[in-house]
Coordinates of all heavy atoms in Angstrom, one line a residue:
W42 N -14.1 -51.7 -63.8 CA -15.5 -51.9 -64.2 C -15.5 -52.8 -65.4 O -14.9 -52.5 -66.4 CB -16.2 -50.6 -64.5 CG -17.6 -50.8 -65.0 CD1 -18.1 -50.5 -66.2 CD2 -18.7 -51.4 -64.3 NE1 -19.4 -50.8 -66.3 CE2 -19.8 -51.4 -65.1 CE3 -18.9 -52.0 -63.0 CZ2 -21.0 -51.9 -64.8 CZ3 -20.1 -52.5 -62.6 CH2 -21.2 -52.4 -63.5
L43 N -16.2 -53.9 -65.4 CA -16.3 -54.9 -66.5 C -17.7 -55.0 -66.9 O -18.5 -55.8 -66.3 CB -15.7 -56.2 -66.1 CG -14.2 -56.2 -65.6 CD1 -13.8 -57.6 -65.2 CD2 -13.3 -55.7 -66.7
P44 N -18.2 -54.3 -67.9 CA -19.6 -54.4 -68.3 C -20.0 -55.8 -68.7 O -19.2 -56.6 -69.3 CB -19.7 -53.5 -69.5 CG -18.5 -52.6 -69.4 CD -17.4 -53.4 -68.7
G45 N -21.2 -56.2 -68.4 CA -21.7 -57.5 -68.7 C -21.4 -58.6 -67.7 O -21.9 -59.7 -67.8
L46 N -20.6 -58.2 -66.6 CA -20.4 -59.1 -65.5 C -20.8 -58.5 -64.2 O -20.7 -57.3 -64.1 CB -18.9 -59.5 -65.5 CG -18.4 -60.3 -66.7 CD1 -16.9 -60.6 -66.5 CD2 -19.1 -61.6 -66.9
V47 N -21.3 -59.3 -63.3 CA -21.7 -58.7 -62.0 C -21.1 -59.6 -60.9 O -20.8 -60.8 -61.1 CB -23.2 -58.6 -61.8 CG1 -23.8 -57.6 -62.8 CG2 -23.8 -60.0 -62.1
G48 N -21.0 -59.1 -59.7 CA -20.7 -59.8 -58.5 C -19.4 -60.5 -58.6 O -18.4 -60.0 -59.1
A49 N -19.4 -61.8 -58.2 CA -18.1 -62.6 -58.1 C -17.5 -62.8 -59.5 O -16.3 -62.9 -59.7 CB -18.4 -63.9 -57.4
Q50 N -18.4 -62.9 -60.6 CA -17.9 -63.1 -61.9 C -17.0 -61.9 -62.3 O -15.9 -62.1 -62.8 CB -19.0 -63.2 -62.9 CG -19.9 -64.5 -62.7 CD -21.0 -64.5 -63.7 OE1 -21.5 -63.4 -64.1 NE2 -21.5 -65.7 -64.1
A51 N -17.5 -60.7 -62.0 CA -16.7 -59.5 -62.4 C -15.4 -59.4 -61.6 O -14.3 -59.1 -62.1 CB -17.5 -58.2 -62.2
A52 N -15.5 -59.7 -60.3 CA -14.3 -59.7 -59.5 C -13.3 -60.7 -60.0 O -12.1 -60.4 -60.0 CB -14.7 -59.9 -58.0
A53 N -13.7 -61.9 -60.3 CA -12.8 -62.9 -60.8 C -12.2 -62.6 -62.1 O -11.0 -62.7 -62.3 CB -13.5 -64.3 -60.9
A54 N -13.0 -62.0 -63.0 CA -12.5 -61.6 -64.3 C -11.5 -60.5 -64.2 O -10.5 -60.5 -64.9 CB -13.6 -61.2 -65.2
S55 N -11.8 -59.5 -63.3 CA -10.9 -58.4 -63.1 C -9.6 -58.8 -62.5 O -8.5 -58.4 -62.9 CB -11.6 -57.3 -62.2 OG -10.7 -56.3 -62.0
A56 N -9.6 -59.7 -61.6 CA -8.4 -60.2 -60.9 C -7.6 -61.0 -61.9 O -6.4 -61.0 -61.9 CB -8.8 -61.1 -59.7
A57 N -8.2 -61.8 -62.8 CA -7.5 -62.7 -63.7 C -6.8 -61.8 -64.8 O -5.8 -62.1 -65.3 CB -8.4 -63.7 -64.4
A58 N -7.5 -60.7 -65.1 CA -6.9 -59.8 -66.2 C -5.8 -58.9 -65.7 O -5.1 -58.4 -66.5 CB -8.0 -59.0 -66.9
R59 N -5.8 -58.7 -64.4 CA -4.9 -57.7 -63.9 C -3.5 -58.3 -63.8 O -3.3 -59.3 -63.2 CB -5.3 -57.3 -62.5 CG -4.5 -56.1 -61.9 CD -5.0 -55.8 -60.5 NE -4.8 -56.9 -59.5 CZ -5.7 -57.7 -59.1 NH1 -6.9 -57.5 -59.4 NH2 -5.4 -58.7 -58.2
P60 N -2.4 -57.6 -64.3 CA -1.0 -58.1 -64.2 C -0.6 -58.0 -62.7 O -1.1 -57.1 -62.0 CB -0.2 -57.1 -65.1 CG -1.1 -55.9 -65.1 CD -2.5 -56.4 -65.1
V61 N 0.3 -58.9 -62.4 CA 0.8 -58.9 -61.0 C 1.8 -57.8 -60.8 O 2.7 -57.6 -61.5 CB 1.5 -60.3 -60.7 CG1 2.1 -60.2 -59.3 CG2 0.5 -61.4 -60.9
A62 N 1.5 -56.9 -59.8 CA 2.3 -55.8 -59.6 C 3.2 -56.1 -58.4 O 3.0 -56.9 -57.6 CB 1.4 -54.5 -59.3
S63 N 4.3 -55.3 -58.4 CA 5.3 -55.5 -57.3 C 4.6 -54.9 -56.0 O 3.7 -54.1 -56.1 CB 6.5 -54.7 -57.6 OG 6.3 -53.3 -57.6
P64 N 5.1 -55.4 -54.8 CA 4.6 -54.8 -53.6 C 4.7 -53.3 -53.5 O 3.8 -52.6 -53.0 CB 5.5 -55.5 -52.5 CG 5.9 -56.8 -53.1 CD 6.1 -56.4 -54.6
A65 N 5.8 -52.7 -54.1 CA 5.9 -51.3 -54.0 C 4.9 -50.6 -54.9 O 4.3 -49.6 -54.5 CB 7.3 -50.9 -54.5
A66 N 4.6 -51.2 -56.0 CA 3.5 -50.6 -56.9 C 2.2 -50.8 -56.3 O 1.3 -49.9 -56.4 CB 3.6 -51.3 -58.3
Q67 N 1.9 -51.9 -55.6 CA 0.6 -52.1 -55.0 C 0.4 -51.0 -53.9 O -0.7 -50.5 -53.7 CB 0.5 -53.4 -54.4 CG 0.5 -54.6 -55.4 CD 0.6 -55.9 -54.8 OE1 0.8 -56.0 -53.6 NE2 0.6 -57.0 -55.6
A68 N 1.5 -50.7 -53.1 CA 1.3 -49.7 -52.1 C 1.2 -48.3 -52.6 O 0.5 -47.5 -52.0 CB 2.5 -49.8 -51.1
A69 N 1.8 -48.1 -53.8 CA 1.8 -46.7 -54.3 C 0.4 -46.4 -55.0 O 0.0 -45.3 -55.0 CB 2.9 -46.6 -55.4
A70 N -0.2 -47.5 -55.5 CA -1.5 -47.2 -56.1 C -2.5 -48.2 -55.6 O -3.0 -49.1 -56.3 CB -1.4 -47.3 -57.6
P71 N -3.0 -48.0 -54.3 CA -4.0 -49.0 -53.8 C -5.3 -48.7 -54.4 O -5.7 -47.6 -54.8 CB -4.0 -48.6 -52.3 CG -3.6 -47.2 -52.2 CD -2.5 -47.0 -53.4
G72 N -6.1 -49.8 -54.5 CA -7.4 -49.7 -55.1 C -8.2 -50.9 -54.9 O -7.6 -52.0 -54.9
V73 N -9.5 -50.8 -54.8 CA -10.3 -52.0 -54.7 C -10.5 -52.6 -56.0 O -11.1 -52.0 -56.9 CB -11.7 -51.6 -54.0 CG1 -12.5 -52.8 -53.9 CG2 -11.4 -51.0 -52.7
V74 N -10.1 -53.9 -56.2 CA -10.2 -54.5 -57.5 C -11.4 -55.4 -57.4 O -11.4 -56.5 -56.9 CB -9.0 -55.4 -57.8 CG1 -9.1 -56.0 -59.2 CG2 -7.7 -54.5 -57.8
A75 N -12.5 -55.0 -57.9 CA -13.8 -55.7 -57.8 C -14.8 -55.0 -58.7 O -14.7 -53.8 -58.9 CB -14.3 -55.9 -56.4

Side-chain angles (χ1 to χ4, degrees):
W42 174 245
L43 300 178
L46 296 179
V47 294
Q50 292 178 332
S55 178
R59 187 183 65 252
V61 178
S63 65
Q67 294 170 357
V73 178
V74 183

